[in-house]
Amino acid sequence: MPKNSKVVKRDLDDEVIESVKDLLSNEDSSDDAFKKSELMVEDPEEKDVDVEEGSDVEDERPAWNSKLQYILAQVGFSVGLGNVWRFPYLCQKNGGGAYLVPYLILLLIIGIPLFFLELAVGQRIRRGSIGVWNYISPKLGGIGFASCVVCFFVALYYNVIIGWSLFYFSQSFQHPLPWDQCPLVKNSSHTFVEPECEKSSATTYYWYREALNISSSLSESGGLNWKMTICLLAAWVMVCLAMIKGIQSSGKIMYFSSLFPYVVLLCFLIRGLLLNGSVDGIRHMFTPKLEIMLEPKVWREAATQVFFALGLGFGGVIAFSSYNKRDNNCHFDAVLVSFINFFTSVLATLVVFAVLGFKANIINEKCVTQNSEKILKLLKMGNLSQDMIPHHINFSSITAEDYNLVYDIIQKVKEKQFDSLGLKSCQIEDELDKAVQGTGLAFIAFTEAMTHFPASPFWSVMFFLMLVNLGLGSMFGTIEGIITPIVDTFKVRKEILTVICCLVAFFIGLIFVQRSGNYFVTMFDDYSATLPLLIVVILENIAVIRIYGIDKFMEDLKDMLGFSPSQYYYYMWKYVSPFVLLCLLVASIVQMGLSPPGYNAWIEDTATEEFHSYPTWGMIVCISLMVLAILPVPIVFMVRRCNLIDDSSGSLASVSYKRGRIIKEPVNLEGDNTSLIHGKSPSEVPSPNFGKNIYRKQTGSPTLDTAPNGRYGIGYLMADMPDMPESDL
């Protein structure tokens, strides 16, 4: 035996003894913590706490700089392009002011309660969508993954719309605006107006030919549109830079991106009210058509608009609220944001109808002028008698009312020959009844109206800058719905994940900036989100109310808010909202089945839109979008249910959320007692504080995925301990 072997052995024994002494010296404090935890288990009335106040977990998680910043973030996410170009269309289509009645009723039944539910679970558990639903029931953890997939699909095409707005914004710094008049084509002999533009209109031609350079079908790719490719890249760079630091960077931008659209809308409303014909448009909007309100289709479309206007199911609402303090009044936030969203939609509708009323008045004046000239020609040719024209009518300065009087007289006198005269009824209501939504409203109808504004480039710059800001506000919430859950679950660096996500989305998004890209935008908008999000929100409701328990959830709300929420929410969550959501899901499936799947293609020769059915491969893509979006739910359920992934593999199946931390559940706690002190060297892993956080409660549903706890047998597991390989000793 070497001379110093005894010394080495003695030193080694001393180290082991000292380690044991260190462990025993903490026995009292750890026992106290253990006893306190044990009392929590035995007392059924004591509430579980996910994040201890003042704990490291709460300090480590980012937080909003102020309540205003948080509210602006939620408003920016919920108030988007749909408020400007979808809500006015639905109001115009479904009974004018009468449409507001079903919308408000459904806002109270499903909108505010479900929005409140998402805010509450995010704030209570302080995780993204994956962590929240994995905490409530690991078997339903796929809900969070499904939300991430839907967010990714929506982000792909939503940023394309921001790219379109950036293109129009960049083209607005010139006078006259480039879409003011049809372009002239010169050949060797003469100059003439572009036929495609002459058959449609200047703004329609500019949108389809100059901006999109659109192909005639989905199957005809036509290559990349380089102008839109650059705009799409710029849009993704803006999103990436704003989101790279999480809410620390995006929160500051919210002060501008959320408030600027209201400044623009108010400016447009004031300017619009001063325009000739604006009152006709607003009167048309608020004239209720009560008979339409009784149609089931109106209620279905109102429910769908409420659902998507608040961003339910996307995960952005949960992600934003997870950065709140646990005692934040999320009930007040839910009501406030919901009604801000509603009044924003009404404000946008007032602006749209005021401007469309002005546009309809201009078109009506042109109609009166053209048809008055026809009447003068018919009088000169002797086809009409001068005696049927009232003496006070002056065709050189005829008003719309006088023309309609002459029109009615001629129609009565020349009843049999009237159709051959080629006269048109010039009614401003006919123009206002032409329902326009989406890109048709923003990039065609509204742009055409702005060409008649004094200082039209200024208003064009303001309008498209508003669209960019509305889109960015929604994009921030959508990307946060992807980034936050993944960072919480897999502990990756937010900066790297944000850059990778934006790069991948940009390269996939190149399919939307082909010449046929607009048709793909329509496909994704119709099929990637509607049904999957409805299913996600239904499962969210079931997870909280049935699995977590509505009584326990109401107690959690009382603990967070400091007061018991109204029993109204109890009955809405438990009975009314699930029933309405199921009815909406069935109605959406029936509507999708009855409506032939297809898109409106722009035909260059006729300068009109023509409905085309999707080809076989297009139908496969549509079905794949819906299946891929909802597929994580059954996959995660089966993996958890059948234990297909071993917990010791370090895979997703072994990740659980306990008291606000992600920890790995020990697979086997039956080993030798000495395994508790075997571990990595102090240089590799910091020594745990035995008197503070060593025990963690096994929370979640007692019947779903409760891990075996070995000899401890009381529902507690070791937490924050590194994986312990066998000691070299």
Side-chain angles (χ1 to χ4, degrees):
M1 179 180 293
K3 179 170 76 171
N4 61 348
S5 63
K6 291 184 179 180
V7 178
V8 174
K9 184 176 185 300
R10 184 169 60 252
D11 293 340
L12 191 59
D13 292 339
D14 290 342
E15 289 178 6
V16 174
I17 291 170
E18 287 173 3
S19 298
V20 174
K21 285 182 178 179
D22 291 339
L23 179 62
L24 293 176
S25 67
N26 289 281
E27 183 178 5
D28 294 337
S29 59
S30 63
D31 283 346
D32 291 341
F34 184 83
K35 289 172 183 177
K36 291 178 183 178
S37 300
E38 188 174 17
L39 288 174
M40 289 173 64
V41 175
E42 292 177 353
D43 186 1
E45 295 183 0
E46 187 71 17
K47 296 180 293 293
D48 302 331
V49 180
D50 293 304
V51 181
E52 299 167 356
E53 293 184 8
S55 67
D56 294 337
V57 179
E58 191 167 3
D59 293 337
E60 290 170 2
R61 190 164 185 81
W64 298 102
N65 291 336
S66 65
K67 182 65 174 284
L68 176 61
Q69 189 181 85
Y70 165 68
I71 293 296
L72 290 177
Q74 290 286 16
V75 169
F77 176 51
S78 64
V79 175
L81 296 173
N83 296 76
V84 174
W85 67 31
R86 177 71 178 169
F87 187 90
Y89 160 75
L90 292 174
C91 193
Q92 179 184 20
K93 174 185 174 185
N94 295 318
Y99 173 74
L100 300 179
V101 176
Y103 186 90
L104 269 175
I105 292 173
L106 290 165
L107 181 66
L108 296 174
I109 291 177
I110 62 173
I112 295 177
L114 293 175
F115 191 62
F116 181 27
L117 184 144
E118 289 201 356
L119 288 179
V121 295
Q123 182 174 307
R124 169 75 170 84
I125 302 172
R126 292 176 62 81
R127 294 288 166 189
S129 57
I130 297 176
V132 161
W133 306 115
N134 200 34
Y135 172 91
I136 290 176
S137 170
K139 287 182 181 177
L140 294 179
I143 297 176
F145 287 99
S147 294
C148 289
V149 173
V150 173
C151 281
F152 186 71
F153 284 161
V154 171
L156 288 177
Y157 74 86
Y158 204 86
N159 223 24
V160 175
I161 301 174
I162 298 177
W164 293 342
S165 302
L166 284 173
F167 173 76
Y168 269 79
F169 172 74
S170 66
Q171 298 298 308
S172 299
F173 294 91
Q174 48 188 307
H175 184 76
L177 292 169
W179 50 83
D180 186 25
Q181 294 181 351
C182 287
L184 299 176
V185 180
K186 297 180 180 179
N187 60 15
S188 56
S189 57
H190 62 285
T191 302
F192 57 93
V193 177
E194 170 65 47
E196 184 181 3
C197 184
E198 190 175 21
K199 294 175 184 176
S200 54
S201 68
T203 51
T204 304
Y205 171 81
Y206 191 86
W207 165 243
Y208 283 115
R209 190 55 51 212
E210 296 294 336
L212 300 181
N213 193 19
I214 198 165
S215 63
S216 58
S217 72
L218 182 70
S219 302
E220 184 183 338
S221 168
L224 290 178
N225 182 340
W226 66 269
K227 292 181 290 187
M228 289 305 171
T229 303
I230 294 173
C231 291
L232 178 63
L233 178 61
W236 276 115
V237 168
M238 293 168 63
V239 171
C240 184
L241 293 177
M243 298 298 300
I244 197 164
K245 293 293 184 182
I247 62 171
Q248 277 78 16
S249 55
S250 65
K252 295 178 177 63
I253 300 174
M254 292 295 179
Y255 288 107
F256 179 77
S257 65
S258 297
L259 294 176
F260 179 74
Y262 290 96
V263 175
V264 176
L265 285 174
L266 287 173
C267 291
F268 263 99
L269 180 61
I270 295 171
R271 184 69 187 91
L273 291 175
L274 299 176
L275 296 172
N276 187 26
S278 61
V279 177
D280 296 323
I282 294 176
R283 187 190 302 117
H284 181 81
M285 168 197 166
F286 282 107
T287 302
K289 301 173 184 176
L290 299 178
E291 66 280 0
I292 297 180
M293 192 179 71
L294 301 177
E295 297 179 6
K297 180 187 68 172
V298 175
W299 290 81
R300 177 183 63 80
E301 292 187 343
T304 304
Q305 179 63 17
V306 167
F307 186 85
F308 288 106
L310 294 175
L312 299 175
F314 280 95
V317 174
I318 294 176
F320 281 150
S321 65
S322 71
Y323 298 112
N324 272 330
K325 296 179 180 179
R326 290 191 69 248
D327 59 352
N328 175 62
N329 190 346
C330 54
H331 174 257
F332 172 79
D333 300 341
V335 176
L336 177 65
V337 173
S338 298
F339 278 101
I340 287 177
N341 186 291
F342 171 70
F343 287 117
T344 304
S345 297
V346 174
L347 174 62
T349 304
L350 283 172
V351 171
V352 168
F353 273 87
V355 174
L356 291 182
F358 167 68
K359 173 176 172 283
N361 189 72
I362 291 176
I363 294 175
N364 197 58
E365 288 178 355
K366 290 181 179 179
C367 177
V368 170
T369 302
Q370 291 173 355
N371 283 272
S372 297
E373 292 175 355
K374 286 184 180 180
I375 293 175
L376 287 174
K377 289 181 180 179
L378 292 171
L379 289 172
K380 291 179 180 179
M381 294 171 59
N383 294 338
L384 294 178
S385 172
Q386 187 68 43
D387 296 336
M388 65 177 65
I389 307 298
H391 297 291
H392 70 278
I393 299 296
N394 181 7
F395 283 103
S396 60
S397 59
I398 190 171
T399 63
E401 291 77 10
D402 289 343
Y403 169 77
N404 286 319
L405 175 63
V406 174
Y407 179 87
D408 291 337
I409 294 174
I410 295 175
Q411 189 178 27
K412 291 177 182 178
V413 175
K414 297 284 186 178
E415 184 176 355
K416 295 181 179 179
Q417 299 88 11
F418 182 77
D419 292 337
S420 61
L421 299 178
L423 298 178
K424 294 181 180 179
S425 174
C426 298
Q427 299 286 344
I428 195 169
E429 288 79 11
D430 294 338
E431 283 297 323
L432 291 171
D433 281 333
K434 294 178 181 178
V436 183
Q437 67 163 325
T439 55
L441 175 63
F443 298 110
I444 298 178
F446 217 88
T447 51
E448 182 178 348
M450 286 188 296
T451 58
H452 301 286
F453 281 20
S456 55
F458 168 77
W459 294 105
S460 182
V461 167
M462 294 284 283
F463 176 71
F464 289 110
L465 186 58
M466 179 191 71
L467 291 187
V468 170
N469 279 275
L470 285 172
L472 286 176
S474 297
M475 275 297 295
F476 294 158
T478 304
I479 297 298
E480 198 69 53
I482 302 171
I483 302 297
T484 297
I486 295 178
V487 169
D488 287 345
T489 305
F490 300 104
K491 297 302 181 185
V492 297
R493 286 191 60 183
K494 177 167 284 190
E495 296 87 349
I496 296 175
L497 179 62
T498 302
V499 172
I500 292 175
C501 179
C502 292
L503 279 175
V504 171
F506 167 71
F507 285 111
I508 297 177
L510 292 178
I511 65 172
F512 302 108
V513 290
Q514 304 174 95
R515 290 184 60 196
S516 60
N518 188 44
Y519 307 138
F520 283 98
V521 171
T522 302
M523 177 190 291
F524 272 66
D525 190 36
D526 290 341
Y527 292 96
S528 67
T530 306
L531 289 183
L533 280 180
L534 278 172
I535 295 172
V536 163
V537 175
I538 290 172
L539 291 175
E540 288 180 358
N541 194 284
I542 293 173
V544 173
I545 305 309
R546 302 295 177 185
I547 296 176
Y548 187 78
I550 187 170
D551 294 323
K552 185 179 180 182
F553 186 60
M554 296 293 284
E555 285 295 320
D556 291 341
L557 289 174
K558 182 179 179 181
D559 178 52
M560 288 193 301
L561 302 176
F563 61 89
S564 298
S566 171
Q567 287 296 305
Y568 169 80
Y569 293 104
Y570 180 93
Y571 294 107
M572 288 296 106
W573 287 329
K574 192 169 184 178
Y575 302 111
V576 180
S577 295
F579 175 75
V580 174
L581 286 173
L582 285 172
C583 292
L584 182 58
L585 177 63
V586 172
S588 299
I589 294 174
V590 171
Q591 175 66 19
M592 193 171 290
L594 294 177
S595 302
Y599 60 99
N600 289 320
W602 178 257
I603 308 302
E604 182 177 358
D605 295 336
T606 59
T608 56
E609 287 185 336
E610 184 178 292
F611 182 81
H612 286 184
S613 297
Y614 285 120
T616 304
W617 65 267
M619 287 300 302
I620 294 174
V621 173
C622 293
I623 296 172
S624 299
L625 289 173
M626 293 185 289
V627 172
L628 287 174
I630 206 63
L631 197 59
V633 175
I635 287 179
V636 173
F637 181 84
M638 292 304 298
V639 167
R640 300 285 195 181
R641 181 72 177 83
C642 303
N643 294 321
L644 297 180
I645 299 180
D646 184 23
D647 286 350
S648 62
S649 64
S651 64
L652 181 63
S654 64
V655 177
S656 296
Y657 292 80
K658 297 175 176 59
R659 296 169 68 87
R661 290 182 187 265
I662 298 179
I663 65 175
K664 296 290 183 67
E665 297 179 5
V667 179
N668 183 15
L669 294 177
E670 298 291 346
D672 188 9
N673 292 343
T674 58
S675 65
L676 293 176
I677 60 172
H678 289 168
K680 297 179 181 179
S681 64
S683 63
E684 294 173 305
V685 178
S687 175
N689 184 352
F690 291 97
K692 191 173 182 182
N693 289 334
I694 189 168
Y695 297 103
R696 291 291 180 206
K697 186 175 180 185
Q698 175 73 18
T699 55
S701 175
T703 60
L704 289 174
D705 292 332
T706 53
N709 296 316
R711 60 173 164 218
Y712 297 107
I714 54 172
Y716 281 77
L717 295 174
M718 302 290 289
D720 298 331
M721 295 288 288
D723 294 336
M724 297 178 180
E726 292 187 6
S727 172
D728 293 332
L729 295 176

